[in-house]
Amino acid sequence: LVGLRLAQVARHQGTLQATWTPDERITLAAQLRGTSAQYDDDQNTRRLKGYVTADLSAEMAITPHMRAVLAVE
């Protein structure tokens, strides 16, 4: 196992997040997460492809003490 990559641990991972508040009642957010290829086993024979996922959310104040949230992952 010397010199091989750890199973199910990508060499590179990253997250990018942005939030926008167009006014005091509304907040919009987006997040991207990505990872490079990794191996499924300790012998590094089953390679898994890298991937990117996206999350989106919208939040709106209904009252001063209540907010509605819609999120898609």
PDB file of all heavy atoms in Angstrom, residues 31-67:
ATOM      1  N   GLN A  31     -24.118  27.380  -4.169  1.00  0.00           N
ATOM      2  CA  GLN A  31     -22.872  26.745  -3.749  1.00  0.00           C
ATOM      3  C   GLN A  31     -22.512  25.646  -4.735  1.00  0.00           C
ATOM      4  O   GLN A  31     -23.371  24.870  -5.148  1.00  0.00           O
ATOM      5  CB  GLN A  31     -23.036  26.151  -2.352  1.00  0.00           C
ATOM      6  CG  GLN A  31     -21.804  25.416  -1.865  1.00  0.00           C
ATOM      7  CD  GLN A  31     -21.950  24.960  -0.432  1.00  0.00           C
ATOM      8  OE1 GLN A  31     -21.849  25.754   0.481  1.00  0.00           O
ATOM      9  NE2 GLN A  31     -22.197  23.680  -0.247  1.00  0.00           N
ATOM     10  N   LEU A  32     -21.248  25.588  -5.128  1.00  0.00           N
ATOM     11  CA  LEU A  32     -20.713  24.509  -5.963  1.00  0.00           C
ATOM     12  C   LEU A  32     -19.661  23.761  -5.155  1.00  0.00           C
ATOM     13  O   LEU A  32     -18.821  24.395  -4.511  1.00  0.00           O
ATOM     14  CB  LEU A  32     -20.066  25.065  -7.231  1.00  0.00           C
ATOM     15  CG  LEU A  32     -20.984  25.679  -8.274  1.00  0.00           C
ATOM     16  CD1 LEU A  32     -20.147  26.309  -9.381  1.00  0.00           C
ATOM     17  CD2 LEU A  32     -21.916  24.639  -8.851  1.00  0.00           C
ATOM     18  N   ARG A  33     -19.719  22.444  -5.192  1.00  0.00           N
ATOM     19  CA  ARG A  33     -18.698  21.610  -4.546  1.00  0.00           C
ATOM     20  C   ARG A  33     -18.138  20.671  -5.594  1.00  0.00           C
ATOM     21  O   ARG A  33     -18.893  20.066  -6.357  1.00  0.00           O
ATOM     22  CB  ARG A  33     -19.309  20.803  -3.402  1.00  0.00           C
ATOM     23  CG  ARG A  33     -19.626  21.611  -2.185  1.00  0.00           C
ATOM     24  CD  ARG A  33     -20.103  20.712  -1.059  1.00  0.00           C
ATOM     25  NE  ARG A  33     -21.324  20.011  -1.429  1.00  0.00           N
ATOM     26  CZ  ARG A  33     -22.510  20.233  -0.898  1.00  0.00           C
ATOM     27  NH1 ARG A  33     -22.651  21.141   0.028  1.00  0.00           N
ATOM     28  NH2 ARG A  33     -23.560  19.559  -1.290  1.00  0.00           N
ATOM     29  N   GLY A  34     -16.837  20.547  -5.618  1.00  0.00           N
ATOM     30  CA  GLY A  34     -16.207  19.675  -6.599  1.00  0.00           C
ATOM     31  C   GLY A  34     -15.108  18.845  -5.973  1.00  0.00           C
ATOM     32  O   GLY A  34     -14.515  19.229  -4.963  1.00  0.00           O
ATOM     33  N   THR A  35     -14.866  17.707  -6.579  1.00  0.00           N
ATOM     34  CA  THR A  35     -13.798  16.833  -6.119  1.00  0.00           C
ATOM     35  C   THR A  35     -13.154  16.162  -7.325  1.00  0.00           C
ATOM     36  O   THR A  35     -13.813  15.934  -8.338  1.00  0.00           O
ATOM     37  CB  THR A  35     -14.331  15.777  -5.119  1.00  0.00           C
ATOM     38  OG1 THR A  35     -13.256  14.979  -4.652  1.00  0.00           O
ATOM     39  CG2 THR A  35     -15.357  14.870  -5.735  1.00  0.00           C
ATOM     40  N   SER A  36     -11.879  15.893  -7.214  1.00  0.00           N
ATOM     41  CA  SER A  36     -11.179  15.202  -8.298  1.00  0.00           C
ATOM     42  C   SER A  36     -11.419  13.694  -8.175  1.00  0.00           C
ATOM     43  O   SER A  36     -12.080  13.229  -7.246  1.00  0.00           O
ATOM     44  CB  SER A  36      -9.682  15.511  -8.232  1.00  0.00           C
ATOM     45  OG  SER A  36      -9.126  15.044  -7.014  1.00  0.00           O
ATOM     46  N   ALA A  37     -10.878  12.942  -9.106  1.00  0.00           N
ATOM     47  CA  ALA A  37     -11.046  11.489  -9.102  1.00  0.00           C
ATOM     48  C   ALA A  37     -10.459  10.882  -7.829  1.00  0.00           C
ATOM     49  O   ALA A  37      -9.578  11.459  -7.188  1.00  0.00           O
ATOM     50  CB  ALA A  37     -10.357  10.882 -10.324  1.00  0.00           C
ATOM     51  N   GLN A  38     -10.984   9.730  -7.465  1.00  0.00           N
ATOM     52  CA  GLN A  38     -10.492   9.006  -6.289  1.00  0.00           C
ATOM     53  C   GLN A  38     -10.638   7.510  -6.541  1.00  0.00           C
ATOM     54  O   GLN A  38     -11.242   7.099  -7.521  1.00  0.00           O
ATOM     55  CB  GLN A  38     -11.282   9.427  -5.055  1.00  0.00           C
ATOM     56  CG  GLN A  38     -12.788   9.249  -5.187  1.00  0.00           C
ATOM     57  CD  GLN A  38     -13.533   9.890  -4.059  1.00  0.00           C
ATOM     58  OE1 GLN A  38     -13.240   9.626  -2.899  1.00  0.00           O
ATOM     59  NE2 GLN A  38     -14.501  10.731  -4.362  1.00  0.00           N
ATOM     60  N   TYR A  39     -10.068   6.725  -5.680  1.00  0.00           N
ATOM     61  CA  TYR A  39     -10.151   5.271  -5.821  1.00  0.00           C
ATOM     62  C   TYR A  39     -11.126   4.705  -4.803  1.00  0.00           C
ATOM     63  O   TYR A  39     -11.215   5.181  -3.669  1.00  0.00           O
ATOM     64  CB  TYR A  39      -8.768   4.626  -5.644  1.00  0.00           C
ATOM     65  CG  TYR A  39      -7.855   4.949  -6.792  1.00  0.00           C
ATOM     66  CD1 TYR A  39      -6.928   5.974  -6.708  1.00  0.00           C
ATOM     67  CD2 TYR A  39      -7.940   4.234  -7.973  1.00  0.00           C
ATOM     68  CE1 TYR A  39      -6.107   6.291  -7.777  1.00  0.00           C
ATOM     69  CE2 TYR A  39      -7.116   4.538  -9.048  1.00  0.00           C
ATOM     70  CZ  TYR A  39      -6.207   5.562  -8.942  1.00  0.00           C
ATOM     71  OH  TYR A  39      -5.408   5.863 -10.011  1.00  0.00           O
ATOM     72  N   ASP A  40     -11.854   3.674  -5.227  1.00  0.00           N
ATOM     73  CA  ASP A  40     -12.859   3.047  -4.367  1.00  0.00           C
ATOM     74  C   ASP A  40     -12.252   1.986  -3.458  1.00  0.00           C
ATOM     75  O   ASP A  40     -12.868   1.576  -2.493  1.00  0.00           O
ATOM     76  CB  ASP A  40     -13.959   2.442  -5.252  1.00  0.00           C
ATOM     77  CG  ASP A  40     -15.178   2.027  -4.460  1.00  0.00           C
ATOM     78  OD1 ASP A  40     -15.511   2.723  -3.489  1.00  0.00           O
ATOM     79  OD2 ASP A  40     -15.803   1.004  -4.808  1.00  0.00           O
ATOM     80  N   ASP A  41     -11.037   1.546  -3.759  1.00  0.00           N
ATOM     81  CA  ASP A  41     -10.421   0.454  -2.998  1.00  0.00           C
ATOM     82  C   ASP A  41      -8.985   0.807  -2.605  1.00  0.00           C
ATOM     83  O   ASP A  41      -8.374   1.702  -3.174  1.00  0.00           O
ATOM     84  CB  ASP A  41     -10.437  -0.838  -3.813  1.00  0.00           C
ATOM     85  CG  ASP A  41      -9.601  -0.720  -5.073  1.00  0.00           C
ATOM     86  OD1 ASP A  41      -9.547   0.377  -5.651  1.00  0.00           O
ATOM     87  OD2 ASP A  41      -8.981  -1.724  -5.467  1.00  0.00           O
ATOM     88  N   ASP A  42      -8.453   0.085  -1.621  1.00  0.00           N
ATOM     89  CA  ASP A  42      -7.102   0.390  -1.121  1.00  0.00           C
ATOM     90  C   ASP A  42      -5.990  -0.023  -2.084  1.00  0.00           C
ATOM     91  O   ASP A  42      -4.858   0.432  -1.945  1.00  0.00           O
ATOM     92  CB  ASP A  42      -6.881  -0.249   0.250  1.00  0.00           C
ATOM     93  CG  ASP A  42      -7.024  -1.762   0.242  1.00  0.00           C
ATOM     94  OD1 ASP A  42      -7.438  -2.323  -0.789  1.00  0.00           O
ATOM     95  OD2 ASP A  42      -6.716  -2.371   1.280  1.00  0.00           O
ATOM     96  N   GLN A  43      -6.290  -0.840  -3.091  1.00  0.00           N
ATOM     97  CA  GLN A  43      -5.284  -1.237  -4.079  1.00  0.00           C
ATOM     98  C   GLN A  43      -5.245  -0.293  -5.285  1.00  0.00           C
ATOM     99  O   GLN A  43      -4.454  -0.489  -6.201  1.00  0.00           O
ATOM    100  CB  GLN A  43      -5.547  -2.670  -4.560  1.00  0.00           C
ATOM    101  CG  GLN A  43      -5.410  -3.718  -3.467  1.00  0.00           C
ATOM    102  CD  GLN A  43      -3.983  -3.805  -2.947  1.00  0.00           C
ATOM    103  OE1 GLN A  43      -3.030  -3.822  -3.727  1.00  0.00           O
ATOM    104  NE2 GLN A  43      -3.834  -3.845  -1.635  1.00  0.00           N
ATOM    105  N   ASN A  44      -6.107   0.713  -5.283  1.00  0.00           N
ATOM    106  CA  ASN A  44      -6.188   1.709  -6.359  1.00  0.00           C
ATOM    107  C   ASN A  44      -6.482   1.081  -7.720  1.00  0.00           C
ATOM    108  O   ASN A  44      -5.925   1.467  -8.739  1.00  0.00           O
ATOM    109  CB  ASN A  44      -4.916   2.544  -6.435  1.00  0.00           C
ATOM    110  CG  ASN A  44      -4.723   3.468  -5.248  1.00  0.00           C
ATOM    111  OD1 ASN A  44      -3.763   4.185  -5.191  1.00  0.00           O
ATOM    112  ND2 ASN A  44      -5.640   3.475  -4.303  1.00  0.00           N
ATOM    113  N   THR A  45      -7.405   0.117  -7.752  1.00  0.00           N
ATOM    114  CA  THR A  45      -7.771  -0.532  -9.014  1.00  0.00           C
ATOM    115  C   THR A  45      -9.134  -0.058  -9.529  1.00  0.00           C
ATOM    116  O   THR A  45      -9.394  -0.143 -10.726  1.00  0.00           O
ATOM    117  CB  THR A  45      -7.805  -2.063  -8.881  1.00  0.00           C
ATOM    118  OG1 THR A  45      -8.753  -2.424  -7.868  1.00  0.00           O
ATOM    119  CG2 THR A  45      -6.426  -2.604  -8.527  1.00  0.00           C
ATOM    120  N   ARG A  46     -10.014   0.414  -8.660  1.00  0.00           N
ATOM    121  CA  ARG A  46     -11.342   0.883  -9.068  1.00  0.00           C
ATOM    122  C   ARG A  46     -11.402   2.407  -8.922  1.00  0.00           C
ATOM    123  O   ARG A  46     -11.584   2.932  -7.837  1.00  0.00           O
ATOM    124  CB  ARG A  46     -12.428   0.213  -8.231  1.00  0.00           C
ATOM    125  CG  ARG A  46     -12.555  -1.274  -8.518  1.00  0.00           C
ATOM    126  CD  ARG A  46     -13.769  -1.895  -7.867  1.00  0.00           C
ATOM    127  NE  ARG A  46     -13.840  -1.689  -6.431  1.00  0.00           N
ATOM    128  CZ  ARG A  46     -13.359  -2.526  -5.510  1.00  0.00           C
ATOM    129  NH1 ARG A  46     -12.762  -3.623  -5.879  1.00  0.00           N
ATOM    130  NH2 ARG A  46     -13.479  -2.252  -4.235  1.00  0.00           N
ATOM    131  N   ARG A  47     -11.230   3.088 -10.046  1.00  0.00           N
ATOM    132  CA  ARG A  47     -11.173   4.558 -10.056  1.00  0.00           C
ATOM    133  C   ARG A  47     -12.581   5.144 -10.174  1.00  0.00           C
ATOM    134  O   ARG A  47     -13.377   4.719 -11.008  1.00  0.00           O
ATOM    135  CB  ARG A  47     -10.317   5.030 -11.229  1.00  0.00           C
ATOM    136  CG  ARG A  47     -10.052   6.499 -11.260  1.00  0.00           C
ATOM    137  CD  ARG A  47      -9.044   6.808 -12.375  1.00  0.00           C
ATOM    138  NE  ARG A  47      -8.601   8.178 -12.323  1.00  0.00           N
ATOM    139  CZ  ARG A  47      -9.159   9.175 -12.990  1.00  0.00           C
ATOM    140  NH1 ARG A  47     -10.197   8.941 -13.766  1.00  0.00           N
ATOM    141  NH2 ARG A  47      -8.691  10.395 -12.890  1.00  0.00           N
ATOM    142  N   LEU A  48     -12.883   6.101  -9.334  1.00  0.00           N
ATOM    143  CA  LEU A  48     -14.146   6.833  -9.383  1.00  0.00           C
ATOM    144  C   LEU A  48     -13.883   8.197 -10.007  1.00  0.00           C
ATOM    145  O   LEU A  48     -12.902   8.855  -9.669  1.00  0.00           O
ATOM    146  CB  LEU A  48     -14.716   7.013  -7.967  1.00  0.00           C
ATOM    147  CG  LEU A  48     -14.946   5.736  -7.156  1.00  0.00           C
ATOM    148  CD1 LEU A  48     -15.345   6.072  -5.735  1.00  0.00           C
ATOM    149  CD2 LEU A  48     -16.006   4.887  -7.828  1.00  0.00           C
ATOM    150  N   LYS A  49     -14.745   8.632 -10.890  1.00  0.00           N
ATOM    151  CA  LYS A  49     -14.576   9.924 -11.552  1.00  0.00           C
ATOM    152  C   LYS A  49     -14.811  11.072 -10.560  1.00  0.00           C
ATOM    153  O   LYS A  49     -15.537  10.921  -9.578  1.00  0.00           O
ATOM    154  CB  LYS A  49     -15.566  10.069 -12.704  1.00  0.00           C
ATOM    155  CG  LYS A  49     -15.301   9.143 -13.857  1.00  0.00           C
ATOM    156  CD  LYS A  49     -16.309   9.390 -14.958  1.00  0.00           C
ATOM    157  CE  LYS A  49     -16.066   8.453 -16.122  1.00  0.00           C
ATOM    158  NZ  LYS A  49     -17.029   8.680 -17.202  1.00  0.00           N
ATOM    159  N   GLY A  50     -14.220  12.210 -10.857  1.00  0.00           N
ATOM    160  CA  GLY A  50     -14.495  13.413 -10.085  1.00  0.00           C
ATOM    161  C   GLY A  50     -15.910  13.904 -10.387  1.00  0.00           C
ATOM    162  O   GLY A  50     -16.547  13.457 -11.338  1.00  0.00           O
ATOM    163  N   TYR A  51     -16.403  14.825  -9.583  1.00  0.00           N
ATOM    164  CA  TYR A  51     -17.760  15.314  -9.795  1.00  0.00           C
ATOM    165  C   TYR A  51     -17.916  16.727  -9.240  1.00  0.00           C
ATOM    166  O   TYR A  51     -17.090  17.213  -8.471  1.00  0.00           O
ATOM    167  CB  TYR A  51     -18.786  14.382  -9.137  1.00  0.00           C
ATOM    168  CG  TYR A  51     -18.597  14.247  -7.644  1.00  0.00           C
ATOM    169  CD1 TYR A  51     -19.226  15.140  -6.765  1.00  0.00           C
ATOM    170  CD2 TYR A  51     -17.798  13.261  -7.103  1.00  0.00           C
ATOM    171  CE1 TYR A  51     -19.051  15.026  -5.398  1.00  0.00           C
ATOM    172  CE2 TYR A  51     -17.618  13.142  -5.747  1.00  0.00           C
ATOM    173  CZ  TYR A  51     -18.254  14.018  -4.893  1.00  0.00           C
ATOM    174  OH  TYR A  51     -18.078  13.913  -3.544  1.00  0.00           O
ATOM    175  N   VAL A  52     -18.992  17.364  -9.642  1.00  0.00           N
ATOM    176  CA  VAL A  52     -19.365  18.692  -9.150  1.00  0.00           C
ATOM    177  C   VAL A  52     -20.839  18.639  -8.780  1.00  0.00           C
ATOM    178  O   VAL A  52     -21.654  18.073  -9.513  1.00  0.00           O
ATOM    179  CB  VAL A  52     -19.140  19.780 -10.224  1.00  0.00           C
ATOM    180  CG1 VAL A  52     -19.662  21.125  -9.753  1.00  0.00           C
ATOM    181  CG2 VAL A  52     -17.669  19.875 -10.579  1.00  0.00           C
ATOM    182  N   THR A  53     -21.205  19.210  -7.630  1.00  0.00           N
ATOM    183  CA  THR A  53     -22.604  19.316  -7.228  1.00  0.00           C
ATOM    184  C   THR A  53     -22.951  20.788  -7.029  1.00  0.00           C
ATOM    185  O   THR A  53     -22.071  21.608  -6.768  1.00  0.00           O
ATOM    186  CB  THR A  53     -22.896  18.551  -5.924  1.00  0.00           C
ATOM    187  OG1 THR A  53     -22.129  19.121  -4.857  1.00  0.00           O
ATOM    188  CG2 THR A  53     -22.581  17.081  -6.067  1.00  0.00           C
ATOM    189  N   ALA A  54     -24.244  21.103  -7.134  1.00  0.00           N
ATOM    190  CA  ALA A  54     -24.705  22.479  -6.958  1.00  0.00           C
ATOM    191  C   ALA A  54     -25.858  22.515  -5.965  1.00  0.00           C
ATOM    192  O   ALA A  54     -26.718  21.626  -5.970  1.00  0.00           O
ATOM    193  CB  ALA A  54     -25.160  23.054  -8.291  1.00  0.00           C
ATOM    194  N   ASP A  55     -25.865  23.517  -5.110  1.00  0.00           N
ATOM    195  CA  ASP A  55     -26.942  23.758  -4.163  1.00  0.00           C
ATOM    196  C   ASP A  55     -27.434  25.182  -4.384  1.00  0.00           C
ATOM    197  O   ASP A  55     -26.631  26.101  -4.567  1.00  0.00           O
ATOM    198  CB  ASP A  55     -26.458  23.638  -2.712  1.00  0.00           C
ATOM    199  CG  ASP A  55     -25.851  22.278  -2.406  1.00  0.00           C
ATOM    200  OD1 ASP A  55     -26.260  21.284  -3.019  1.00  0.00           O
ATOM    201  OD2 ASP A  55     -24.969  22.216  -1.539  1.00  0.00           O
ATOM    202  N   LEU A  56     -28.755  25.369  -4.348  1.00  0.00           N
ATOM    203  CA  LEU A  56     -29.353  26.689  -4.491  1.00  0.00           C
ATOM    204  C   LEU A  56     -30.346  26.897  -3.358  1.00  0.00           C
ATOM    205  O   LEU A  56     -31.019  25.949  -2.944  1.00  0.00           O
ATOM    206  CB  LEU A  56     -30.095  26.806  -5.828  1.00  0.00           C
ATOM    207  CG  LEU A  56     -29.291  26.552  -7.088  1.00  0.00           C
ATOM    208  CD1 LEU A  56     -30.214  26.500  -8.300  1.00  0.00           C
ATOM    209  CD2 LEU A  56     -28.240  27.631  -7.267  1.00  0.00           C
ATOM    210  N   SER A  57     -30.442  28.122  -2.858  1.00  0.00           N
ATOM    211  CA  SER A  57     -31.434  28.399  -1.831  1.00  0.00           C
ATOM    212  C   SER A  57     -31.952  29.827  -1.953  1.00  0.00           C
ATOM    213  O   SER A  57     -31.267  30.720  -2.449  1.00  0.00           O
ATOM    214  CB  SER A  57     -30.861  28.172  -0.426  1.00  0.00           C
ATOM    215  OG  SER A  57     -29.857  29.119  -0.140  1.00  0.00           O
ATOM    216  N   ALA A  58     -33.193  30.005  -1.511  1.00  0.00           N
ATOM    217  CA  ALA A  58     -33.833  31.316  -1.468  1.00  0.00           C
ATOM    218  C   ALA A  58     -34.504  31.440  -0.099  1.00  0.00           C
ATOM    219  O   ALA A  58     -35.135  30.496   0.385  1.00  0.00           O
ATOM    220  CB  ALA A  58     -34.863  31.459  -2.575  1.00  0.00           C
ATOM    221  N   GLU A  59     -34.361  32.582   0.496  1.00  0.00           N
ATOM    222  CA  GLU A  59     -34.900  32.822   1.829  1.00  0.00           C
ATOM    223  C   GLU A  59     -35.651  34.151   1.795  1.00  0.00           C
ATOM    224  O   GLU A  59     -35.177  35.130   1.218  1.00  0.00           O
ATOM    225  CB  GLU A  59     -33.730  32.898   2.807  1.00  0.00           C
ATOM    226  CG  GLU A  59     -34.096  32.681   4.233  1.00  0.00           C
ATOM    227  CD  GLU A  59     -32.841  32.581   5.087  1.00  0.00           C
ATOM    228  OE1 GLU A  59     -31.915  31.829   4.727  1.00  0.00           O
ATOM    229  OE2 GLU A  59     -32.815  33.277   6.102  1.00  0.00           O
ATOM    230  N   MET A  60     -36.842  34.178   2.417  1.00  0.00           N
ATOM    231  CA  MET A  60     -37.642  35.401   2.422  1.00  0.00           C
ATOM    232  C   MET A  60     -38.253  35.615   3.790  1.00  0.00           C
ATOM    233  O   MET A  60     -38.826  34.688   4.378  1.00  0.00           O
ATOM    234  CB  MET A  60     -38.746  35.320   1.368  1.00  0.00           C
ATOM    235  CG  MET A  60     -39.586  36.539   1.264  1.00  0.00           C
ATOM    236  SD  MET A  60     -40.729  36.360  -0.106  1.00  0.00           S
ATOM    237  CE  MET A  60     -41.532  37.920  -0.034  1.00  0.00           C
ATOM    238  N   ALA A  61     -38.150  36.825   4.291  1.00  0.00           N
ATOM    239  CA  ALA A  61     -38.760  37.176   5.572  1.00  0.00           C
ATOM    240  C   ALA A  61     -40.266  37.313   5.379  1.00  0.00           C
ATOM    241  O   ALA A  61     -40.728  38.037   4.502  1.00  0.00           O
ATOM    242  CB  ALA A  61     -38.165  38.468   6.096  1.00  0.00           C
ATOM    243  N   ILE A  62     -41.023  36.585   6.187  1.00  0.00           N
ATOM    244  CA  ILE A  62     -42.478  36.664   6.149  1.00  0.00           C
ATOM    245  C   ILE A  62     -42.960  37.662   7.208  1.00  0.00           C
ATOM    246  O   ILE A  62     -43.834  38.478   6.950  1.00  0.00           O
ATOM    247  CB  ILE A  62     -43.094  35.272   6.374  1.00  0.00           C
ATOM    248  CG1 ILE A  62     -42.660  34.354   5.231  1.00  0.00           C
ATOM    249  CG2 ILE A  62     -44.601  35.364   6.470  1.00  0.00           C
ATOM    250  CD1 ILE A  62     -43.037  32.924   5.413  1.00  0.00           C
ATOM    251  N   THR A  63     -42.371  37.556   8.381  1.00  0.00           N
ATOM    252  CA  THR A  63     -42.598  38.502   9.472  1.00  0.00           C
ATOM    253  C   THR A  63     -41.227  38.804  10.067  1.00  0.00           C
ATOM    254  O   THR A  63     -40.239  38.156   9.711  1.00  0.00           O
ATOM    255  CB  THR A  63     -43.518  37.899  10.560  1.00  0.00           C
ATOM    256  OG1 THR A  63     -42.807  36.883  11.270  1.00  0.00           O
ATOM    257  CG2 THR A  63     -44.801  37.328   9.969  1.00  0.00           C
ATOM    258  N   PRO A  64     -41.131  39.740  11.010  1.00  0.00           N
ATOM    259  CA  PRO A  64     -39.832  40.001  11.641  1.00  0.00           C
ATOM    260  C   PRO A  64     -39.245  38.778  12.364  1.00  0.00           C
ATOM    261  O   PRO A  64     -38.045  38.701  12.600  1.00  0.00           O
ATOM    262  CB  PRO A  64     -40.132  41.127  12.628  1.00  0.00           C
ATOM    263  CG  PRO A  64     -41.323  41.824  12.053  1.00  0.00           C
ATOM    264  CD  PRO A  64     -42.130  40.746  11.405  1.00  0.00           C
ATOM    265  N   HIS A  65     -40.094  37.790  12.678  1.00  0.00           N
ATOM    266  CA  HIS A  65     -39.629  36.624  13.437  1.00  0.00           C
ATOM    267  C   HIS A  65     -39.745  35.309  12.661  1.00  0.00           C
ATOM    268  O   HIS A  65     -39.496  34.240  13.218  1.00  0.00           O
ATOM    269  CB  HIS A  65     -40.409  36.504  14.750  1.00  0.00           C
ATOM    270  CG  HIS A  65     -40.320  37.720  15.593  1.00  0.00           C
ATOM    271  ND1 HIS A  65     -39.171  38.068  16.267  1.00  0.00           N
ATOM    272  CD2 HIS A  65     -41.216  38.689  15.851  1.00  0.00           C
ATOM    273  CE1 HIS A  65     -39.372  39.195  16.915  1.00  0.00           C
ATOM    274  NE2 HIS A  65     -40.606  39.602  16.681  1.00  0.00           N
ATOM    275  N   MET A  66     -40.133  35.363  11.382  1.00  0.00           N
ATOM    276  CA  MET A  66     -40.311  34.136  10.607  1.00  0.00           C
ATOM    277  C   MET A  66     -39.768  34.333   9.188  1.00  0.00           C
ATOM    278  O   MET A  66     -39.988  35.370   8.572  1.00  0.00           O
ATOM    279  CB  MET A  66     -41.794  33.767  10.529  1.00  0.00           C
ATOM    280  CG  MET A  66     -42.034  32.443   9.859  1.00  0.00           C
ATOM    281  SD  MET A  66     -43.795  32.009   9.692  1.00  0.00           S
ATOM    282  CE  MET A  66     -44.399  32.203  11.325  1.00  0.00           C
ATOM    283  N   ARG A  67     -39.058  33.291   8.703  1.00  0.00           N
ATOM    284  CA  ARG A  67     -38.505  33.299   7.340  1.00  0.00           C
ATOM    285  C   ARG A  67     -38.911  32.002   6.645  1.00  0.00           C
ATOM    286  O   ARG A  67     -38.934  30.939   7.252  1.00  0.00           O
ATOM    287  CB  ARG A  67     -36.990  33.411   7.386  1.00  0.00           C
ATOM    288  CG  ARG A  67     -36.522  34.733   7.983  1.00  0.00           C
ATOM    289  CD  ARG A  67     -35.023  34.880   7.986  1.00  0.00           C
ATOM    290  NE  ARG A  67     -34.457  35.143   6.695  1.00  0.00           N
ATOM    291  CZ  ARG A  67     -34.415  36.348   6.111  1.00  0.00           C
ATOM    292  NH1 ARG A  67     -34.927  37.385   6.715  1.00  0.00           N
ATOM    293  NH2 ARG A  67     -33.860  36.507   4.929  1.00  0.00           N
TER     294      ARG A  67
END
